[in-house]
Amino acid sequence: MTVSAQTSTPMGHSAHKTGTLSPREQGVLWDMEEHFWTSGADNARATTANNAIMIFPYPPGILQGDQIWTHLKQSSGWRSVAMAERRVTRCNDIAILTYRVSAEKADVPIYKALCASTYLNDDDTWLRISHQQTIVA
């Protein structure tokens, strides 16, 4: 490796080539994210990659693949969600949604968390490849 290659800045790296999502694409992703919360495990599974990873407050903690669906069948079906502080970041075929959620369902205290979901655009279809929730007071 030459000296110039060793000292070059990472700015030419593909991770630094960000773009924007059209308002339509953003709407699609935010709709998918809201349905992830409100439409049950089957809908979430249809919009999630087979080997996705999800991180929930312990327990259950870190889940992957079929472990996710076992958990979501027991804990999905929120009646309503409000997503605030929404942000979208895009890098090539990856989009990351971050937001503060307030979710409610019958007989359960209102759930508040900071969330991040990562989507991959695979042949013009967005699929969730990761999701994380961090509880906030």
Side-chain angles (χ1 to χ4, degrees), residues 115-128:
C115 301
S117 285
T118 304
Y119 287 84
L120 173 66
N121 189 333
D122 186 21
D123 290 331
D124 292 325
T125 300
W126 288 102
L127 287 174
R128 185 180 303 100

Side-chain angles (χ1 to χ4, degrees), residues 34-56:
E34 184 171 334
H35 285 96
F36 171 73
W37 286 86
T38 61
S39 295
D42 291 337
N43 178 276
R45 189 174 204 155
T47 58
T48 302
N50 289 336
N51 210 24
I53 294 175
M54 295 194 186
I55 303 170
F56 298 99

Side-chain angles (χ1 to χ4, degrees), residues 80-112:
S80 68
V81 295
M83 296 179 194
E85 300 176 38
R86 293 180 180 207
R87 294 187 180 126
V88 179
T89 300
R90 182 180 192 164
C91 181
N92 296 324
D93 288 334
I94 294 175
I96 302 170
L97 305 182
T98 58
Y99 57 96
R100 178 182 294 267
V101 72
S102 178
E104 66 176 328
K105 62 181 166 181
D107 303 323
V108 175
I110 292 176
Y111 178 74
K112 295 182 179 183

